[in-house]
Amino acid sequence: MNRRTALSSILAVSGTGMLPAEAAKTKVQPFIYSLNMSTLRGHKLGFRKELEVAAKAGFGSVEIWINTLQDYLKEGGTVKEAKKIIDDLGIKVEDAIGFATWIVDDESARSKAIEQLKVEMDQLAQIGCPRIAAPPMGATTGASLDLAKVAERYRTILELGDKTGVVPHLELWGFSKNLSRVGEILYVAVESGHPSARLLMDVYHLHKGGSGMDAVKDVGKPLVEIFHINDYPATPPRETITDADRVYAGDGVAPLKDLLKSLKNPERPVILSFEVFNKDYYAQDALLVAKTGLAKMKKVTEGV
């Protein structure tokens, strides 16, 4: 084997166009750190200021809330201006939190939800956001839905995502009558029969719904692109714990190290988005909260 052949073989094996030693130096990190704007929601900063705080705190990625973006537009801002704010700050909007009632049995309500999602997805596409959360909004109480029908409804909004480039991620809500457990969202995703189906889970919701952190091991890694990270205290118990009880990653009792090992994907980084609704944090300086959240996320992911 001559030297040219040998070099070609090494490059082919590395798949990167670099020698092995160079490739090792540029190893992709397993996680991307993001800030979900629920964390600053109580500060009532508005669209621009929330993004500025996130960027100043050191976040390169964020999850916005649809209604915050739309409030900005109602107040005279434009989608083009929103995109410029994002670009100027050098951050990426990874996902948007929306609440369309796409899942419900009421056909009229579902039709309105589809129209709502068309508008929202179009706005998100224009600002470069590739995902939108699809929680069981409208079906958190009342009757248990037929999961086969839910899978059909999820496919409908996935097909809408095909047209807009914004993929709806099926979100687990632990307190909900429907889609509160990993088995339910996994069934719906698989039975949708759509290649873009993805799951959006959360430390708190895994605990609240009773699935627990170990359930993540049963979810195929391609189904998870983004994950809401937080923690929960030992008390109150699971049955009575609420959204507002979530705390910084590492400040509670969740087995985060084992969870993160289950989430880690050798094929691509997983986006960890810090999401809490903590009134004590809302009473503190917003930048301090954002910086603390990022520091604690990095600490719990050390060595994973």
Side-chain angles (χ1 to χ4, degrees):
M1 183 183 291
N2 61 38
R3 284 182 290 181
R4 178 178 295 176
T5 303
L7 179 58
S8 297
S9 298
I10 291 170
L11 295 178
V13 169
S14 72
T16 62
M18 296 180 290
L19 293 172
E22 293 175 307
K25 291 178 183 177
T26 58
K27 182 180 178 182
V28 176
Q29 294 302 309
F31 302 111
I32 293 170
Y33 303 106
S34 171
L35 181 65
N36 183 303
M37 292 309 180
S38 68
T39 304
L40 305 180
R41 196 160 179 76
H43 292 88
K44 303 186 185 305
L45 302 175
F47 180 75
R48 180 194 293 269
K49 187 64 175 177
E50 284 181 349
L51 295 174
E52 290 174 348
V53 168
K56 192 171 182 180
F59 283 97
S61 294
V62 296
E63 278 185 290
I64 64 170
W65 280 47
I66 282 286
N67 53 11
T68 304
L69 171 61
Q70 292 178 340
D71 285 345
Y72 169 79
L73 299 177
K74 289 174 185 175
E75 292 165 3
T78 66
V79 174
K80 185 176 180 180
E81 289 167 346
K83 180 68 164 62
K84 186 175 188 307
I85 292 170
I86 293 163
D87 291 345
D88 288 349
L89 290 171
I91 58 178
K92 179 173 177 53
V93 179
E94 302 284 4
D95 185 30
I97 306 303
F99 302 98
T101 58
W102 62 274
I103 194 174
V104 298
D105 281 335
D106 185 290
E107 188 173 350
S108 175
R110 286 204 317 277
S111 295
K112 291 178 181 178
I114 295 301
E115 294 306 311
Q116 176 184 337
L117 281 169
K118 286 179 182 177
V119 173
E120 293 173 350
M121 287 179 170
D122 178 63
Q123 292 170 341
L124 294 175
Q126 290 184 64
I127 64 170
C129 175
R131 306 173 186 87
I132 185 169
M137 188 69 183
T140 58
T141 59
S144 295
L145 300 181
D146 181 336
L147 289 181
K149 291 182 179 178
V150 173
E152 293 174 3
R153 294 164 191 172
Y154 182 43
R155 183 179 179 89
T156 296
I157 63 173
L158 284 167
E159 291 172 346
L160 187 59
D162 290 339
K163 298 175 183 178
T164 61
V166 179
V167 179
H169 285 225
L170 194 64
E171 186 171 11
L172 179 82
W173 274 3
F175 64 87
S176 177
K177 179 73 172 181
N178 295 282
L179 304 192
S180 64
R181 297 185 65 87
V182 170
E184 292 177 312
I185 60 171
L186 189 54
Y187 175 92
V188 170
V190 172
E191 290 301 315
S192 73
H194 196 289
S196 295
R198 296 292 185 273
L199 303 183
L200 177 55
M201 296 176 288
D202 179 298
V203 172
Y204 162 78
H205 284 299
L206 286 166
H207 172 61
K208 177 67 177 177
S211 292
M213 306 305 119
D214 281 347
V216 174
K217 295 177 182 177
D218 298 324
V219 178
K221 293 186 187 298
L223 288 174
V224 182
E225 295 179 3
I226 185 166
F227 185 90
H228 289 167
I229 189 166
N230 41 60
D231 210 332
Y232 53 84
T235 56
R238 181 179 72 81
E239 293 75 14
T240 57
I241 198 169
T242 69
D243 284 332
D245 293 313
R246 299 183 218 192
V247 294
Y248 291 118
D251 280 8
V253 297
L256 294 183
K257 285 290 186 183
D258 289 341
L259 170 67
L260 291 166
K261 289 175 183 177
S262 296
L263 281 173
K264 186 177 177 180
N265 187 344
E267 299 297 323
R268 64 165 183 264
V270 173
I271 303 159
L272 296 180
S273 191
F274 178 51
E275 181 185 56
V276 294
F277 298 79
N278 192 300
K279 292 180 181 178
D280 290 340
Y281 301 169
Y282 290 157
Q284 300 171 21
D285 177 72
L287 181 58
L288 174 63
V289 171
K291 284 183 174 180
T292 304
L294 180 57
K296 288 183 178 285
M297 289 168 71
K298 289 182 175 180
K299 184 172 179 58
V300 298
T301 56
E302 285 179 2
V304 174

